[in-house]
C-alpha cells in the first residue's frame, strides 16, 4: 500500500548507501495484515522528526496469561491521530543461542508476525531477543499460542532474569575456550521460571563470551559475565611462527611489542613466552592463531556487576571467580549463579542491580554468601586507607 | 489450609494493599506466611495458580514489576469475564 | 479458528537444529580463519573443512519481507543457513566454496553493503529512539543511518588501526553499549524536570519517587501530595521520570546528544575501559544531524591518522593523553568535561607532568 502520511523528513533517510530503516517501515505495509500499523508508525515518526520529541506512553500492563515477562506494552500518546499505533506492543522471542537460524524457521516466524503484527522486527534487541515490534493487546494470546506451539517461547523483561545471550563460540570461532552456546542454552532452560515470572528486585542479565575478545560485551552489559580463558602454557608451533615471519609479518612490532606484560620475545626465528607472567590478554593469539594456541586447561572467569549508568553511574563487571571449569551440565556454574542471585534477591532494594548492592554492602558479605575466598585476582590493588573491618570470624 | 482458602487470603491481602504499595511476589509470600503459618513453597504454588488463571496478574510500572489484581479490561481481553 | 495449543517454559529452540552440517561436524574444532575481503572470511577446521562467511549490514529494524529476502539468499547459496551477529549484521554461512563469489555478486546487485570484518567500523549498536521508546530524547535509527551513510567506506573498504565500535543510545538508560564503545552518541537532557502535581498524586508512590533520585534532589511536597526538585542538585538523569511518568523530563528544544569516546570491551593489550565525554552537547537536528556526523568523522579520522596499528581509540588516547586528544581533535574542553559525580577523585590530575 502507499501511505496516507506525507513524510518528507523521513524520506531523506531513504537516501545514501547504508540500509534504510525507513524503507523497512514502508515495506512492512506490503506484507502485514494490518498495514495501518507501519503506516501510522511512519506518520507519528515524521511528527517526532519535526517536533523533536517522542509520542509513546510509558509501558502499560500487557502480557500473556501466567507470564509477567516477554511482552512490553507500548501505546501511542496520539491514538486519535495515529490509530494504527494506538497499541504497538513489543513481543520478545527468546533467540536461539548464537543467533543461528534456518530460512525455514525465520520464514515461519515472519508469516505469523505478518498475520498478527505490524511486520516490523528488530534482529535483534539489545539483550539478545528476536524482537517483534508492534502488535495489539488482543493479538497477544494468539501470538503466544502460534509461537509457543512451534517451539518459540518468550524472552525476559521487567524485574526478571533477562534472556541470556552469548557469542558464536565454538560453532565458528577457534578462540572459544568454552562452549558458549551450550552454556547459554543450558542456563536459559534452567531459569525458565525466573525468566518468565518477574519476582526479583530488578533485572539480572547473564552473557557468555568464549574469550577475552568478549564479542557479546559480557563484561559491560551483563550483571553476571562469563569470559572464557585458560590455564597453562600457550602452545607454540614454531614452524608456523616461521611461516608468519616468512610471509612478511613483523612479529616484533605486531605482536611482541604489544604484549602488555612484556613476557614474550622473538629471536628472528622462534618465539619464547614466560607463561608465568602472561595475563592471557589474547593479543598475540589473535594475531598469530596458527602459531599460538591457548593453554590446554580451559574454563572461564566469572565477573559480576556491570550495568549502564542509571542510577549512580556505569559499572564494568568485577572478577569474582578467577577460574572455573565449564563442562556440561555446568552444575558448578549454575549453583554459583543461584547463590549469587539468592543473595541479591534477599538483600536488594527495588530497582537495585547486583553491582550496586555489592557497592552498598561491600564485597566481603557477597563473597562470604557465595563461598568464594578473597584472592588478589579480584582487585587491581589492595586498599589504600587504613580503615578496615574485622569480623568475629577473623578472630577464631 | 485448603488451597482455595489460602488463595482467598492472598486475594484479600492484595485488595488491602491496592493503591498503597506495589507488591512483589516476595512481599506477598512474607505477609501470607506470617498470617497463615504456611511455608513459602505452598504460598508460591497457590499464588502461581492464581496467576495462571488470571485471578491475579503480573504488572509493570515505574520501572519495576509487581503483582496486582487485574482490571476488568484485562479480564475481558483474556476472555475471563 | 481454533488456536494451536500453547506451551509454557519451553525456552528457545535448541540451536543445534539451526547449525549447518559443516559446523555440526567441526564444532569446537576450528583451527584458524582468514579475512578474505572486508566482508568475507573463511574458517578452517582441524579436519581441513572450510566455512565461508559473508557479512552484510542491516539496519536492525527489518520488515518481514526483508527477512524473507535474506532467507532466499540463504536458500540459494547456503542451504538455508544464516545467522545474525551481536552487532546486528547478517552473516551468510557458505559451505560450498563455488557459491561464495556468486553470493557476493548477487548481494551486491541488490545493493547490500558487504563489510564490517577486521580493522573497520562495524554496524552500530543502537536503541529504539522515537520509533518505539517513551524515554527517547533523540532518534537512534536516524542517527545511525546518517552516521553510517557518511562512514560507509570504513565498513566496506578502508582499513583503520583497529576495530572501531560505534553505538547510539537515545537516553541515559543506554540500552546499547554506549558506555564501552570506541565512539558513541548518547542523548541527554539539560533541564530540570517539570512536575505535574495532580498527576503525580494519582500515579506515583511518593517514597519510591524520592528514593529514585541518585543525588537526593527530590523532596516531598506534602501540601500537594507530590514532590519538589532541588534544581541545584538535579543532573537530569531522568530516573524520576522512569519511576513516576508525570515528572516530565523531556524538553524538545533543550534535549540533544553528547559524544563519548575511548571505551573498549575486550581485554586485549589493555583492560576494558569506559567511554569518556568528548563533546557534551549537540542540538537534535533531524533528519540527518549533520554536526554530530561531522564531529564523529573528525574524531575517527584524527584517530586513523595518528594511532599506531592495533591501537583502539581508547588506547590511542591513553597513550597521547586526553589533553593531547583535545588538541589534536580541536574539541573544546568545558566545565562539563570535569567529573563532579562519582568518578571525580579518580579523574582529577595529580601530576605536574602533562602536555600542552
Ligand atoms: S568472544 Fe572470543 S570466542 Fe567468542 S566469538 Fe569473540 S573472539 Fe570468538
Ligand atoms: S596473551 Fe597477552 S600477555 Fe599473554 S603472551 Fe600473549 S600478548 Fe602477552
Ligand atoms: S536508551 Fe532510553 S530511550 Fe533508548 S530505547 Fe533504551 S530506554 Fe528507550
Ligand atoms: S532527573 Fe535525576 S537528578 Fe534530577 S530530580 Fe530526577 S532523578 Fe533526580
Amino acid at each position: 500500500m502507499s501511505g496516507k502520511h506525507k513524510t518528507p523528513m523521513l524520506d531523506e533517510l531513504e537516501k545514501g548507501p547504508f540500509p534504510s530503516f525507513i524503507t523497512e517501515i514502508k515495506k512492512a505495509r506490503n506484507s502485514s495484515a494490518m498495514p495501518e500499523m507501519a503506516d501510522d508508525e511512519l506518520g507519528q515518526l515524521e511528527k517526532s522528526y519535526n517536533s523533536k520529541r517522542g509520542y509513546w506512553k510509558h509501558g502499560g500492563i500487557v502480557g500473556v496469561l501466567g507470564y509477567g515477562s516477554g511482552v512490553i506494552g507500548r501505546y501511542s500518546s496520539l491514538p486519535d491521530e495515529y490509530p494504527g499505533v494506538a497499541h504497538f506492543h513489543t513481543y520478545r522471542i527468546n533467540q536461539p543461542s548464537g543467533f543461528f537460524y534456518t530460512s525455514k524457521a525465520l520464514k515461519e516466524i515472519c508469516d505469523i508476525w505478518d498475520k498478527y503484527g505490524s511486520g516490523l522486527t528488530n534482529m535483534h534487541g539489545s539483550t539478545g531477543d528476536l524482537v517483534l515490534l508492534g502488535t495489539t493487546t488482543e493479538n497477544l494470546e494468539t501470538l503466544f499460542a502460534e509461537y509457543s506451539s512451534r517451539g518459540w517461547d518468550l524472552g525476559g523483561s521487567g524485574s526478571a532474569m533477562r534472556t541470556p545471550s552469548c557469542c558464536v563460540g565454538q560453532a565458528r570461532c577457534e578462540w572459544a575456550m568454552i562452549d558458549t552456546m551450550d552454556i547459554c542454552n543450558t542456563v536459559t532452560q534452567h531459569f525458565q521460571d525466573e525468566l518468565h515470572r518477574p519476582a526479583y528486585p530488578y533485572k539480572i542479565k547473564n552473557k557468555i563470551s568464549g574469550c577475552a575478545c568478549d564479542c557479546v560485551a559480557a563484561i559491560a552489559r551483563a550483571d553476571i559475565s562469563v569470559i572464557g580463558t585458560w590455564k597453562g602454557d600457550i602452545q607454540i608451533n614454531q614452524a608456523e611462527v616461521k611461516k608468519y615471519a616468512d610471509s612478511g609479518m613483523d612479529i616484533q612490532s605486531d605482536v611482541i611489542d604489544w604484549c602488555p606484560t612484556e613476557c614474550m620475545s622473538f629471536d628472528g626465528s622462534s618465539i619464547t613466552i614466560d607463561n608465568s607472567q602472561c595475563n592471557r590478554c589474547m593479543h598475540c593469539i589473535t594475531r598469530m592463531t596458527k602459531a599460538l594456541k591457548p593453554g590446554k586447561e580451559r574454563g572461564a572467569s566469572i565477573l559480576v556487576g556491570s550495568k549502564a549508568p542509571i542510577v549512580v553511574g556505569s559499572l564494568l563487571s568485577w572478577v569474582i571467580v578467577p577460574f572455573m571449569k565449564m563442562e556440561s551440565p555446568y552444575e558448578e556454574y549454575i549453583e554459583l549463579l543461584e547463590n549469587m542471585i539468592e543473595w541479591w534477591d534477599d538483600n536488594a532494594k527495588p530497582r537495585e542491580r547486583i553491582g550496586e548492592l555489592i557497592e552498598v554492602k561491600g564485597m566481603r558479605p557477597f563473597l562470604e554468601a557465595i563461598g568464594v575466598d578473597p584472592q588478589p585476582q579480584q582487585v587491581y590493588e589492595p586498599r589504600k586507607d587504613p580503615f578496615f573491618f574485622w569480623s568475629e570470624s577473623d578472630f577464631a | 489450609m485448603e488451597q482455595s482458602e489460602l488463595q482467598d487470603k492472598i486475594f484479600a491481602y492484595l485488595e488491602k494493599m491496592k493503591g498503597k504499595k506495589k507488591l512483589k511476589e516476595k512481599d506477598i509470600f512474607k505477609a501470607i506466611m506470617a498470617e497463615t503459618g504456611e511455608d513459602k513453597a505452598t504460598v508460591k504454588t497457590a499464588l502461581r495458580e492464581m496467576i495462571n488463571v488470571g485471578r491475579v496478574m503480573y504488572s509493570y510500572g515505574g520501572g519495576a514489576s509487581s503483582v496486582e489484581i487485574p482490571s476488568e479490561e484485562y479480564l475481558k481481553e483474556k476472555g475471563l469475564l | 479458528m481454533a488456536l494451536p495449543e500453547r506451551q509454557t517454559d519451553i525456552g528457545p529452540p535448541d540451536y543445534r537444529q539451526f547449525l549447518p552440517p559443516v559446523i555440526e561436524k567441526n564444532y569446537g574444532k576450528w583451527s584458524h580463519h582468514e579475512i578474505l575481503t572486508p566482508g568475507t572470511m573463511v574458517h578452517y577446521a582441524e579436519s581441513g573443512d572450510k566455512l565461508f562467511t559473508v557479512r552484510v549490514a542491516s539496519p536492525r529494524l527489518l520488515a518481514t519481507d526483508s527477512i524473507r529476502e535474506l532467507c532466499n539468499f540463504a536458500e540459494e547459496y547456503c542451504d538455508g543457513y544464516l545467522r545474525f551477529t551481536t552487532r546486528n549484521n547478517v552473516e551468510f554461512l557458505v559451505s560450498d566454496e563455488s557459491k561464495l563469489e556468486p553470493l557476493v555478486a548477487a548481494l551486491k546487485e541488490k545493493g547490500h553493503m558487504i563489510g564490517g570484518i577486521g580493522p573497520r567500523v562495524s554496524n552500530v549498536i543502537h536503541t529504539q529512539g522515537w520509533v518505539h521508546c517513551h524515554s527517547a530524547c533523540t532518534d537512534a535509527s536516524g542517527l545511525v543511518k546518517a552516521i553510517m551513510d557518511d562512514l560507509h567506506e570504513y565498513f566496506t573498504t578502508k582499513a583503520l588501526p583497529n576495530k572501531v565500535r560505534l553505538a547510539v543510545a537515545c537516553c541515559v538508560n543506554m540500552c546499547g553499549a554506549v558506555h564501552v564503545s570506541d565512539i558513541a552518541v548518547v542523548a541527554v537532557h539539560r533541564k530540570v524536570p517539570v512536575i505535574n502535581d495532580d498527576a503525580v498524586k494519582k500515579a506515583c508512590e511518593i517514597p519510591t519517587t524520592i528514593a529514585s533520585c541518585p543525588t537526593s534532589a527530590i523532596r516531598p511536597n506534602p501540601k500537594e501530595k507530590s514532590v519538589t526538585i532541588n534544581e541545584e542538585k538535579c543532573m537530569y538523569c531522568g530516573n524520576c521520570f522512569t519511576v513516576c511518568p508525570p515528572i516530565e523530563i523531556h524538553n524538545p528544544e533543550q534535549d540533544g546528544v553528547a559524544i563519548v569516546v575511548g571505551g573498549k570491551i575486550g581485554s586485549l593489550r589493555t583492560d576494558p575501559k569506559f567511554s569518556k565525554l568528548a563533546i557534551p552537547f549537540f542540538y537534535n537536528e533531524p533528519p540527518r544531524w549533520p554536526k554530530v556526523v561531522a564531529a564523529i568523522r573528525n574524531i575517527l579520522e584524527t584517530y586513523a591518522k595518528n594511532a599506531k596499528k592495533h591501537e583502539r581509540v581508547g588506547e590511542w588516547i591513553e597513550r597521547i593523553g586526553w589533553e593531547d586528544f583535545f588538541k589534536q581533535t580541536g574539541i573544546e574542553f568545558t566545565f562539563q568535561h570535569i567529573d563532579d559525580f562519582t568518578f571525580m577523585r579518580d579523574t582529577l590530575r595529580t601530576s605536574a607532568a602533562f602536555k600542552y
Side-chain angles (χ1 to χ4, degrees):
Chain A
M1 91 177 227
S2 66
K4 67 176 184 235
H5 306 286
K6 285 217 159 46
T7 55
M9 284 276 227
L10 301 184
D11 296 346
E12 272 302 307
L13 290 171
E14 289 198 277
K15 300 169 187 163
F18 192 74
S20 167
F21 70 107
I22 298 300
T23 308
E24 296 298 319
I25 302 176
K26 290 187 176 174
K27 220 165 154 175
R29 300 179 304 199
N30 303 327
S31 59
S32 165
M34 292 169 284
E36 68 281 4
M37 293 193 97
D39 197 43
D40 276 347
E41 163 71 43
L42 272 178
Q44 182 174 312
L45 189 59
E46 176 77 13
K47 190 179 180 95
S48 288
Y49 268 62
N50 281 295
S51 65
K52 303 180 192 176
R53 59 162 305 150
Y55 296 99
W56 299 105
K57 285 200 276 205
H58 265 256
I61 305 153
V62 290
V64 301
L65 204 59
Y67 279 15
S69 288
V71 179
I72 296 99
R74 190 64 74 216
Y75 301 86
S76 170
S77 62
L78 305 169
D80 298 332
E81 214 172 317
Y82 304 103
V85 290
H87 290 194
F88 206 68
H89 310 321
T90 302
Y91 189 99
R92 287 185 182 165
I93 291 181
N94 194 331
Q95 84 288 0
S97 279
F99 310 105
F100 280 90
Y101 296 95
T102 55
S103 60
K104 186 167 159 273
L106 278 179
K107 283 183 174 175
E108 188 175 76
I109 289 175
C110 289
D111 292 347
I112 296 169
W113 185 232
D114 275 336
K115 244 163 130 179
Y116 303 108
S118 73
L120 290 168
T121 74
N122 276 161
M123 302 295 285
H124 292 76
S126 291
T127 303
D129 300 281
L130 190 169
V131 172
L132 302 176
L133 226 50
T135 189
T136 59
T137 308
E138 59 172 357
N139 281 345
L140 290 172
E141 291 296 333
T142 310
L143 279 165
F144 187 62
E146 294 281 358
Y147 282 125
S148 68
S149 63
R150 288 173 173 80
W152 299 95
D153 207 338
L154 280 164
S157 68
S159 309
M161 163 83 76
R162 296 302 184 84
T163 309
S165 125
C166 65
C167 75
V168 67
Q170 295 180 342
R172 198 194 52 196
C173 185
E174 64 269 24
W175 299 327
M177 246 73 69
I178 51 176
D179 190 349
T180 57
M181 302 216 305
D182 192 37
I183 298 168
C184 181
N185 196 53
T186 307
V187 169
T188 310
Q189 292 293 352
H190 184 86
F191 287 99
Q192 284 295 295
D193 185 46
E194 292 79 1
L195 233 132
H196 293 134
R197 296 172 192 81
Y200 289 147
Y202 202 23
K203 64 182 109 177
I204 190 148
K205 300 187 180 185
N206 184 203
K207 290 187 193 290
I208 303 121
S209 276
C211 80
C213 295
D214 196 3
C215 294
V216 75
I219 210 164
R221 304 184 59 199
D223 299 270
I224 298 168
S225 325
V226 178
I227 304 204
T229 189
W230 72 91
K231 276 186 170 175
D233 294 355
I234 291 178
Q235 309 172 60
I236 310 177
N237 181 335
Q238 300 291 4
E240 290 291 346
V241 172
K242 195 152 182 324
K243 276 194 213 158
Y244 275 110
D246 292 346
S247 72
M249 178 182 228
D250 187 339
I251 291 177
Q252 184 66 39
S253 75
D254 276 337
V255 182
I256 310 291
D257 290 351
W258 289 101
C259 171
T261 59
E262 298 176 23
C263 68
M264 309 182 85
S265 57
F266 177 59
D267 63 8
S269 66
S270 62
I271 284 180
T272 316
I273 299 177
D274 176 357
N275 282 282
S276 70
Q277 291 306 305
C278 167
N279 69 9
R280 295 161 295 103
C281 82
M282 283 295 290
H283 175 79
C284 60
I285 291 169
T286 62
R287 293 301 120 187
M288 329 176 53
T289 307
K290 283 194 238 178
L292 303 176
K293 306 248 185 247
K296 283 190 177 144
E297 192 184 348
R298 308 289 168 88
S301 301
I302 317 292
L303 299 85
V304 173
S306 76
K307 54 176 276 294
I310 291 289
V311 182
V312 197
S314 326
L315 298 175
L316 291 170
S317 282
W318 303 304
V319 174
I320 298 299
V321 179
F323 189 83
M324 180 182 270
K325 285 260 189 206
M326 292 294 245
E327 278 158 11
S328 178
Y330 316 106
E331 279 158 359
E332 194 187 352
Y333 175 56
I334 287 178
E335 194 188 323
L336 177 76
L337 265 178
E338 287 179 334
N339 290 340
M340 294 195 290
I341 292 173
E342 190 188 336
W343 177 79
W344 166 67
D345 190 25
D346 285 347
N347 290 288
K349 291 184 298 195
R351 300 191 78 233
E352 191 168 42
R353 300 280 288 266
I354 191 167
E356 295 168 314
L357 182 67
I358 294 172
E359 275 194 311
V360 170
K361 297 258 171 198
M363 190 55 95
R364 178 169 186 164
F366 176 61
L367 292 178
E368 283 181 339
I370 61 170
V372 172
D373 290 335
Q375 296 156 70
Q377 287 76 16
Q378 293 158 341
V379 298
Y380 279 123
E381 54 189 20
R383 77 165 72 232
K384 301 182 187 90
D385 293 322
F387 314 128
F388 39 91
F389 291 106
W390 295 97
S391 73
E392 274 311 313
S393 61
D394 296 321
F395 297 103
Chain B
M1 187 178 293
E2 285 287 316
Q3 181 90 333
S4 63
E5 198 184 330
L6 189 56
Q7 291 181 336
D8 288 344
K9 288 213 185 314
I10 293 175
F11 195 84
Y13 178 64
L14 279 162
E15 252 180 342
K16 190 178 95 190
M17 297 303 285
K18 198 172 175 176
K20 289 195 190 116
K21 184 176 185 300
K22 288 209 172 90
L23 297 173
K24 305 206 64 91
E25 279 194 353
K26 224 179 3 182
D27 303 322
I28 300 168
F29 297 158
K30 240 194 248 160
I32 301 300
M33 282 157 66
E35 187 185 332
T36 64
E38 297 287 350
D39 65 6
K40 187 172 155 189
T42 312
V43 183
K44 186 168 173 179
T45 312
L47 176 68
R48 288 295 169 81
E49 253 174 45
M50 295 169 80
I51 290 170
N52 283 338
V53 299
R55 191 164 176 212
V56 300
M57 65 183 282
Y58 291 109
S59 172
Y60 180 83
S65 308
S66 55
V67 177
E68 276 175 21
I69 296 171
S71 64
E72 254 178 48
E73 193 192 343
Y74 176 87
L75 293 174
K76 263 194 209 129
E77 156 230 313
K78 297 289 177 206
L80 297 170
L81 204 78
Chain C
M1 196 184 63
L3 287 177
E5 193 166 343
R6 81 207 294 264
Q7 304 186 67
T8 54
D9 298 315
I10 54 168
D14 193 322
Y15 58 91
R16 290 172 189 92
Q17 62 190 289
F18 301 131
L19 301 178
V22 62
I23 289 188
E24 265 195 296
K25 180 176 162 208
N26 297 291
Y27 196 95
K29 295 187 203 113
W30 297 98
S31 150
H32 61 279
H33 72 276
E34 279 163 21
I35 297 174
L36 303 171
T37 70
T40 57
M41 57 184 165
V42 53
H43 283 80
Y44 294 88
E46 286 160 8
S47 67
D49 289 348
K50 288 190 257 182
L51 170 66
F52 295 86
T53 299
V54 181
R55 187 181 285 177
V56 303
S58 137
R60 185 173 87 120
L61 204 173
L62 288 175
T64 43
D65 272 351
S66 293
I67 297 174
R68 291 187 183 97
E69 286 160 27
L70 295 169
C71 287
N72 291 341
F73 281 113
E75 278 166 14
E76 198 171 339
Y77 300 94
C78 317
D79 306 312
Y81 295 101
L82 72 167
R83 72 177 290 266
F84 293 79
T85 71
T86 49
R87 303 193 72 85
N88 313 317
N89 295 300
V90 184
E91 286 185 343
F92 293 98
L93 305 165
V94 188
S95 311
D96 176 353
E97 184 166 2
S98 71
K99 292 193 173 158
L100 179 67
E101 285 315 314
L103 170 60
V104 168
L107 286 166
K108 277 192 179 147
E109 199 199 306
K110 284 276 183 215
H112 283 285
M113 240 173 92
I114 302 173
I117 300 177
R120 298 191 164 74
V121 168
S122 184
N123 212 338
V124 186
I125 292 286
H126 66 282
T127 47
Q128 297 295 7
W130 291 328
V131 170
H132 205 233
C133 189
H134 66 282
S135 195
C137 50
T138 194
D139 189 45
S141 309
L143 272 161
V144 169
K145 169 75 175 140
I147 293 165
M148 286 306 286
D149 276 344
D150 186 56
L151 299 181
H152 68 98
E153 286 170 328
Y154 289 101
F155 184 91
T156 55
T157 46
K158 282 189 183 169
L160 291 159
N162 201 335
K163 300 174 197 305
V164 174
R165 296 308 188 212
L166 306 179
V168 175
C170 35
C171 86
V172 294
N173 282 339
M174 287 192 190
C175 302
V178 159
H179 61 302
V180 282
S181 295
D182 292 275
I183 306 175
V185 179
V186 55
V188 291
H189 303 288
R190 298 191 301 164
K191 288 284 188 184
V192 177
V194 176
I195 299 170
N196 178 339
D197 287 325
D198 225 34
V200 168
K201 188 165 73 186
K202 285 193 199 114
C204 308
E205 286 178 2
I206 302 298
T208 316
T209 309
I210 292 171
S212 74
C213 179
T215 62
S216 309
I218 305 182
R219 299 249 169 74
N221 178 355
K223 214 175 98 216
E224 301 289 342
K225 294 206 168 101
S226 174
V227 295
T228 57
I229 294 175
N230 178 344
E231 305 208 352
E232 277 169 24
K233 281 190 176 173
C234 174
M235 42 66 165
Y236 335 111
C237 70
N239 199 41
C240 51
F241 159 77
T242 301
V243 171
C244 171
I247 301 184
E248 179 56 276
I249 181 88
H250 291 98
N251 182 324
E253 289 318 312
Q254 293 305 329
D255 292 344
V257 302
I259 294 180
V260 295
V261 300
K264 170 177 181 285
I265 288 163
S267 300
L268 290 82
R269 300 169 302 281
T270 57
D271 291 329
K273 310 172 202 308
F274 286 120
S275 316
K276 286 116 191 160
L277 183 65
I279 305 177
F281 191 74
F282 288 104
Y283 285 101
N284 273 320
E285 284 186 290
R288 284 200 168 265
W289 288 265
K291 295 196 181 84
V292 178
V293 170
I296 289 176
R297 175 173 277 271
N298 172 39
I299 295 167
L300 186 78
E301 290 190 333
T302 312
Y303 156 77
K305 209 160 68 211
N306 296 295
K308 294 184 188 171
K309 188 176 165 194
H310 306 304
E311 265 176 345
R312 295 283 292 261
V313 171
E315 293 171 299
W316 163 62
I317 299 174
E318 278 180 9
R319 176 170 59 79
I320 63 173
W322 283 91
E323 69 276 35
D324 201 41
F325 167 80
F326 284 100
K327 185 172 158 191
Q328 290 198 26
T329 55
I331 294 170
E332 186 193 354
F333 191 82
T334 67
F335 283 121
Q336 279 77 25
H337 287 95
I338 304 176
D339 197 312
D340 43 19
F341 194 44
T342 44
F343 294 115
M344 179 166 170
R345 281 186 181 196
D346 302 339
T347 50
L348 297 179
R349 194 188 298 275
T350 58
S351 159
F354 45 80
K355 301 175 187 172
Y356 282 105

